Amino acid sequence: SFTSFSPLRLPIRSALSRFISTLVVAEHDGGSIKPSSLSAVEAAAAISRENSISVLLGGSGPDIGKAALQAASSHPLISQVLVADADIFLHPLAETWAELVHLVQQKGGYSHIITASNSFGKNILPRAAALLDVSPVTDITEISEPHLFVRPIYAGNALCTVRYVGKDPCMMTIRSPSFPMHSESAEPKSEAAPISQVDLSTFNEEFFGKSRWLKLASQDTERPDLGNARVVVTGGRGLKSAENFKLLEKLAEKLGAAVGATRAAVDAGFVPNDLQVGQTGKIVAPELYMAFGVSGAIQHLAGMRDSKVIVAINKDADAPIFQVADYGLVADLFDVIPELIEKLPEK
Ligand code: FAD
């Protein structure tokens, strides 16, 4: 339950901030904590004044041990790492993970539960919130106070300040580009936080049968992950075919960039939909975003307008993308991309 901001409520809410303890539901890949989860830790640090952040990890085998060690020394405010060591947590099935979050919350009584707003967090958190009977606050971009947040609405065209007035825990997903890792957080702590195992003896196994993990079908690529890349080159309908996207991929290779696409390019079958940037795709905020043959519809801008430097190449001088671009080039992309590939030095 939310109310709009009212300064009169401040003293009561501020008093609550004394009892803050935060659980970060984290994701790892091959033993390494995902950057989006480290951003969730940064968001937790914006709420916690002392070291009261617990990090929850799940999985089994050597990877989970490696990930736990990394988490234990990843931020000075982390007080403990909780490991749910079981095969059932190897894959992010919402039923299983939501039940785990529920169990850990019952034992830990956290005031806040935070995860990144990505396919992992968006899958698990709402279900866990339903089990705990609270309303989650999603897509947070700014934390003003422990229960006062900013989140975009209307496809990023307006920012809404919301105060959480429900019972504990306050469950939230954060947009990772809004909570970059601070350099001092990247330095390993001299003293690592303790790692302990979650007691799974009371774990409710009746939830396991509802869905099963079959396989992960992902593109095998050397390129950086779209959500975390420092440079993104995006193609729109202007690229005209899947074949022409190969040209963009060559440019991406030269720049060490991830490739993105508009929904029009995805719908036309040029590229798979995991490359879609926008309101119904991925939200990115790289150092450099280059858009080729993209008109700049609001649903696309919703996914990339926070990029540090935006470069747009479009043959229509009136294309709306130029209104958000730092650098605009009115030109034919089929002239520009080959020239860029030719002139850029080898990596
Ligand atoms: P177009 O709008 O067709 O633009 C193509 C551009 O390419 C034009 O500006 C043209 O001038 C330029 N061009 C053509 N040829 C060349 C050339 N040779 N050289 C240079 N420039 C050239 N869209 C998203 O991207 N992401 C989303 O998540 C998303 N979610 C949506 C959700 C909803 C509910 C709805 C209704 C729509 C959503 N859309 C989304 C779609 C969005 O409204 C636009 O239709 C889409 O972004 C347009 O894609 P585009 O810019 O590639 O195509």
Side-chain angles (χ1 to χ4, degrees), residues 179-199:
F179 297 92
M181 256 173 61
H182 290 126
S183 47
E184 73 267 23
S185 317
E187 311 254 319
K189 277 203 308 174
S190 52
E191 206 181 312
I195 299 171
S196 46
Q197 303 283 329
V198 178
D199 175 8

PDB file of all heavy atoms in Angstrom, residues 179-199:
ATOM      1  N   PHE A 179      22.177   2.304  -9.640  1.00  0.00           N
ATOM      2  CA  PHE A 179      22.963   2.060  -8.421  1.00  0.00           C
ATOM      3  C   PHE A 179      24.319   1.452  -8.791  1.00  0.00           C
ATOM      4  O   PHE A 179      24.589   0.292  -8.491  1.00  0.00           O
ATOM      5  CB  PHE A 179      22.198   1.136  -7.455  1.00  0.00           C
ATOM      6  CG  PHE A 179      20.918   1.740  -6.968  1.00  0.00           C
ATOM      7  CD1 PHE A 179      19.725   1.505  -7.642  1.00  0.00           C
ATOM      8  CD2 PHE A 179      20.904   2.574  -5.865  1.00  0.00           C
ATOM      9  CE1 PHE A 179      18.538   2.085  -7.215  1.00  0.00           C
ATOM     10  CE2 PHE A 179      19.721   3.160  -5.429  1.00  0.00           C
ATOM     11  CZ  PHE A 179      18.539   2.918  -6.099  1.00  0.00           C
ATOM     12  N   PRO A 180      25.172   2.250  -9.476  1.00  0.00           N
ATOM     13  CA  PRO A 180      26.470   1.698  -9.900  1.00  0.00           C
ATOM     14  C   PRO A 180      27.341   1.379  -8.681  1.00  0.00           C
ATOM     15  O   PRO A 180      27.180   2.004  -7.622  1.00  0.00           O
ATOM     16  CB  PRO A 180      27.078   2.826 -10.737  1.00  0.00           C
ATOM     17  CG  PRO A 180      26.382   4.062 -10.296  1.00  0.00           C
ATOM     18  CD  PRO A 180      25.018   3.655  -9.818  1.00  0.00           C
ATOM     19  N   MET A 181      28.226   0.420  -8.855  1.00  0.00           N
ATOM     20  CA  MET A 181      29.133   0.063  -7.768  1.00  0.00           C
ATOM     21  C   MET A 181      30.109   1.193  -7.510  1.00  0.00           C
ATOM     22  O   MET A 181      30.686   1.735  -8.433  1.00  0.00           O
ATOM     23  CB  MET A 181      29.931  -1.175  -8.169  1.00  0.00           C
ATOM     24  CG  MET A 181      29.447  -2.411  -7.501  1.00  0.00           C
ATOM     25  SD  MET A 181      30.293  -3.815  -8.194  1.00  0.00           S
ATOM     26  CE  MET A 181      31.952  -3.458  -7.795  1.00  0.00           C
ATOM     27  N   HIS A 182      30.294   1.568  -6.239  1.00  0.00           N
ATOM     28  CA  HIS A 182      31.307   2.574  -5.916  1.00  0.00           C
ATOM     29  C   HIS A 182      32.664   1.913  -5.928  1.00  0.00           C
ATOM     30  O   HIS A 182      32.778   0.733  -5.617  1.00  0.00           O
ATOM     31  CB  HIS A 182      31.023   3.172  -4.528  1.00  0.00           C
ATOM     32  CG  HIS A 182      29.800   4.022  -4.532  1.00  0.00           C
ATOM     33  ND1 HIS A 182      28.761   3.834  -3.672  1.00  0.00           N
ATOM     34  CD2 HIS A 182      29.443   5.039  -5.353  1.00  0.00           C
ATOM     35  CE1 HIS A 182      27.810   4.715  -3.939  1.00  0.00           C
ATOM     36  NE2 HIS A 182      28.197   5.445  -4.955  1.00  0.00           N
ATOM     37  N   SER A 183      33.682   2.715  -6.243  1.00  0.00           N
ATOM     38  CA  SER A 183      35.002   2.081  -6.356  1.00  0.00           C
ATOM     39  C   SER A 183      35.462   1.478  -5.032  1.00  0.00           C
ATOM     40  O   SER A 183      36.053   0.421  -4.983  1.00  0.00           O
ATOM     41  CB  SER A 183      36.025   3.056  -6.904  1.00  0.00           C
ATOM     42  OG  SER A 183      35.910   4.261  -6.217  1.00  0.00           O
ATOM     43  N   GLU A 184      35.107   2.165  -3.878  1.00  0.00           N
ATOM     44  CA  GLU A 184      35.572   1.589  -2.607  1.00  0.00           C
ATOM     45  C   GLU A 184      34.868   0.264  -2.313  1.00  0.00           C
ATOM     46  O   GLU A 184      35.412  -0.607  -1.635  1.00  0.00           O
ATOM     47  CB  GLU A 184      35.442   2.573  -1.433  1.00  0.00           C
ATOM     48  CG  GLU A 184      34.058   2.846  -0.931  1.00  0.00           C
ATOM     49  CD  GLU A 184      33.436   4.068  -1.618  1.00  0.00           C
ATOM     50  OE1 GLU A 184      33.870   4.415  -2.730  1.00  0.00           O
ATOM     51  OE2 GLU A 184      32.528   4.652  -1.049  1.00  0.00           O
ATOM     52  N   SER A 185      33.644   0.084  -2.903  1.00  0.00           N
ATOM     53  CA  SER A 185      32.953  -1.176  -2.685  1.00  0.00           C
ATOM     54  C   SER A 185      33.620  -2.285  -3.491  1.00  0.00           C
ATOM     55  O   SER A 185      33.543  -3.451  -3.148  1.00  0.00           O
ATOM     56  CB  SER A 185      31.502  -1.083  -3.136  1.00  0.00           C
ATOM     57  OG  SER A 185      30.945   0.120  -2.733  1.00  0.00           O
ATOM     58  N   ALA A 186      34.259  -1.896  -4.608  1.00  0.00           N
ATOM     59  CA  ALA A 186      34.888  -2.898  -5.452  1.00  0.00           C
ATOM     60  C   ALA A 186      36.145  -3.461  -4.802  1.00  0.00           C
ATOM     61  O   ALA A 186      36.563  -4.572  -5.077  1.00  0.00           O
ATOM     62  CB  ALA A 186      35.231  -2.284  -6.804  1.00  0.00           C
ATOM     63  N   GLU A 187      36.753  -2.673  -3.902  1.00  0.00           N
ATOM     64  CA  GLU A 187      37.941  -3.157  -3.198  1.00  0.00           C
ATOM     65  C   GLU A 187      37.495  -4.221  -2.195  1.00  0.00           C
ATOM     66  O   GLU A 187      36.590  -3.972  -1.403  1.00  0.00           O
ATOM     67  CB  GLU A 187      38.566  -2.019  -2.379  1.00  0.00           C
ATOM     68  CG  GLU A 187      38.754  -0.747  -3.159  1.00  0.00           C
ATOM     69  CD  GLU A 187      40.188  -0.520  -3.502  1.00  0.00           C
ATOM     70  OE1 GLU A 187      41.015  -0.787  -2.621  1.00  0.00           O
ATOM     71  OE2 GLU A 187      40.471  -0.114  -4.632  1.00  0.00           O
ATOM     72  N   PRO A 188      38.154  -5.391  -2.207  1.00  0.00           N
ATOM     73  CA  PRO A 188      37.735  -6.404  -1.252  1.00  0.00           C
ATOM     74  C   PRO A 188      37.912  -5.918   0.189  1.00  0.00           C
ATOM     75  O   PRO A 188      38.847  -5.194   0.485  1.00  0.00           O
ATOM     76  CB  PRO A 188      38.668  -7.579  -1.546  1.00  0.00           C
ATOM     77  CG  PRO A 188      39.373  -7.257  -2.809  1.00  0.00           C
ATOM     78  CD  PRO A 188      39.245  -5.790  -3.062  1.00  0.00           C
ATOM     79  N   LYS A 189      36.977  -6.288   1.065  1.00  0.00           N
ATOM     80  CA  LYS A 189      37.073  -5.916   2.472  1.00  0.00           C
ATOM     81  C   LYS A 189      38.238  -6.673   3.093  1.00  0.00           C
ATOM     82  O   LYS A 189      38.517  -7.808   2.727  1.00  0.00           O
ATOM     83  CB  LYS A 189      35.801  -6.371   3.200  1.00  0.00           C
ATOM     84  CG  LYS A 189      34.656  -5.427   3.066  1.00  0.00           C
ATOM     85  CD  LYS A 189      33.652  -5.587   4.205  1.00  0.00           C
ATOM     86  CE  LYS A 189      33.175  -7.010   4.428  1.00  0.00           C
ATOM     87  NZ  LYS A 189      32.335  -7.129   5.615  1.00  0.00           N
ATOM     88  N   SER A 190      38.912  -6.053   4.062  1.00  0.00           N
ATOM     89  CA  SER A 190      40.013  -6.771   4.713  1.00  0.00           C
ATOM     90  C   SER A 190      39.437  -7.963   5.486  1.00  0.00           C
ATOM     91  O   SER A 190      40.000  -9.042   5.519  1.00  0.00           O
ATOM     92  CB  SER A 190      40.788  -5.832   5.622  1.00  0.00           C
ATOM     93  OG  SER A 190      39.879  -5.184   6.477  1.00  0.00           O
ATOM     94  N   GLU A 191      38.268  -7.758   6.091  1.00  0.00           N
ATOM     95  CA  GLU A 191      37.664  -8.858   6.845  1.00  0.00           C
ATOM     96  C   GLU A 191      36.368  -9.280   6.152  1.00  0.00           C
ATOM     97  O   GLU A 191      35.464  -8.451   5.996  1.00  0.00           O
ATOM     98  CB  GLU A 191      37.354  -8.361   8.256  1.00  0.00           C
ATOM     99  CG  GLU A 191      37.332  -9.466   9.275  1.00  0.00           C
ATOM    100  CD  GLU A 191      36.997  -8.871  10.637  1.00  0.00           C
ATOM    101  OE1 GLU A 191      37.613  -7.872  11.013  1.00  0.00           O
ATOM    102  OE2 GLU A 191      36.088  -9.418  11.281  1.00  0.00           O
ATOM    103  N   ALA A 192      36.308 -10.526   5.741  1.00  0.00           N
ATOM    104  CA  ALA A 192      35.113 -10.969   5.011  1.00  0.00           C
ATOM    105  C   ALA A 192      33.975 -11.256   5.998  1.00  0.00           C
ATOM    106  O   ALA A 192      34.219 -11.639   7.140  1.00  0.00           O
ATOM    107  CB  ALA A 192      35.436 -12.215   4.214  1.00  0.00           C
ATOM    108  N   ALA A 193      32.752 -11.069   5.541  1.00  0.00           N
ATOM    109  CA  ALA A 193      31.587 -11.363   6.380  1.00  0.00           C
ATOM    110  C   ALA A 193      31.439 -12.884   6.532  1.00  0.00           C
ATOM    111  O   ALA A 193      31.854 -13.646   5.653  1.00  0.00           O
ATOM    112  CB  ALA A 193      30.342 -10.783   5.720  1.00  0.00           C
ATOM    113  N   PRO A 194      30.855 -13.334   7.647  1.00  0.00           N
ATOM    114  CA  PRO A 194      30.668 -14.780   7.823  1.00  0.00           C
ATOM    115  C   PRO A 194      29.682 -15.365   6.809  1.00  0.00           C
ATOM    116  O   PRO A 194      28.757 -14.688   6.378  1.00  0.00           O
ATOM    117  CB  PRO A 194      30.121 -14.902   9.248  1.00  0.00           C
ATOM    118  CG  PRO A 194      29.623 -13.553   9.605  1.00  0.00           C
ATOM    119  CD  PRO A 194      30.375 -12.555   8.774  1.00  0.00           C
ATOM    120  N   ILE A 195      29.937 -16.617   6.446  1.00  0.00           N
ATOM    121  CA  ILE A 195      29.042 -17.315   5.500  1.00  0.00           C
ATOM    122  C   ILE A 195      28.325 -18.403   6.284  1.00  0.00           C
ATOM    123  O   ILE A 195      28.971 -19.186   6.981  1.00  0.00           O
ATOM    124  CB  ILE A 195      29.867 -17.963   4.362  1.00  0.00           C
ATOM    125  CG1 ILE A 195      30.639 -16.878   3.591  1.00  0.00           C
ATOM    126  CG2 ILE A 195      28.974 -18.773   3.421  1.00  0.00           C
ATOM    127  CD1 ILE A 195      31.646 -17.402   2.589  1.00  0.00           C
ATOM    128  N   SER A 196      27.006 -18.449   6.209  1.00  0.00           N
ATOM    129  CA  SER A 196      26.322 -19.548   6.896  1.00  0.00           C
ATOM    130  C   SER A 196      25.298 -20.211   5.985  1.00  0.00           C
ATOM    131  O   SER A 196      24.853 -19.617   4.998  1.00  0.00           O
ATOM    132  CB  SER A 196      25.684 -19.065   8.196  1.00  0.00           C
ATOM    133  OG  SER A 196      25.007 -17.872   7.974  1.00  0.00           O
ATOM    134  N   GLN A 197      24.984 -21.442   6.313  1.00  0.00           N
ATOM    135  CA  GLN A 197      24.046 -22.224   5.499  1.00  0.00           C
ATOM    136  C   GLN A 197      22.617 -21.968   5.966  1.00  0.00           C
ATOM    137  O   GLN A 197      22.364 -21.876   7.162  1.00  0.00           O
ATOM    138  CB  GLN A 197      24.328 -23.731   5.678  1.00  0.00           C
ATOM    139  CG  GLN A 197      25.747 -24.148   5.329  1.00  0.00           C
ATOM    140  CD  GLN A 197      25.960 -24.234   3.828  1.00  0.00           C
ATOM    141  OE1 GLN A 197      25.031 -24.550   3.092  1.00  0.00           O
ATOM    142  NE2 GLN A 197      27.156 -23.930   3.370  1.00  0.00           N
ATOM    143  N   VAL A 198      21.716 -21.871   5.000  1.00  0.00           N
ATOM    144  CA  VAL A 198      20.298 -21.757   5.362  1.00  0.00           C
ATOM    145  C   VAL A 198      19.823 -23.157   5.773  1.00  0.00           C
ATOM    146  O   VAL A 198      20.100 -24.143   5.079  1.00  0.00           O
ATOM    147  CB  VAL A 198      19.470 -21.271   4.150  1.00  0.00           C
ATOM    148  CG1 VAL A 198      17.989 -21.205   4.489  1.00  0.00           C
ATOM    149  CG2 VAL A 198      19.969 -19.917   3.661  1.00  0.00           C
ATOM    150  N   ASP A 199      19.140 -23.227   6.904  1.00  0.00           N
ATOM    151  CA  ASP A 199      18.608 -24.517   7.359  1.00  0.00           C
ATOM    152  C   ASP A 199      17.373 -24.849   6.504  1.00  0.00           C
ATOM    153  O   ASP A 199      16.336 -24.197   6.617  1.00  0.00           O
ATOM    154  CB  ASP A 199      18.237 -24.406   8.846  1.00  0.00           C
ATOM    155  CG  ASP A 199      17.555 -25.674   9.359  1.00  0.00           C
ATOM    156  OD1 ASP A 199      17.522 -26.678   8.599  1.00  0.00           O
ATOM    157  OD2 ASP A 199      17.049 -25.656  10.493  1.00  0.00           O
TER     158      ASP A 199
END
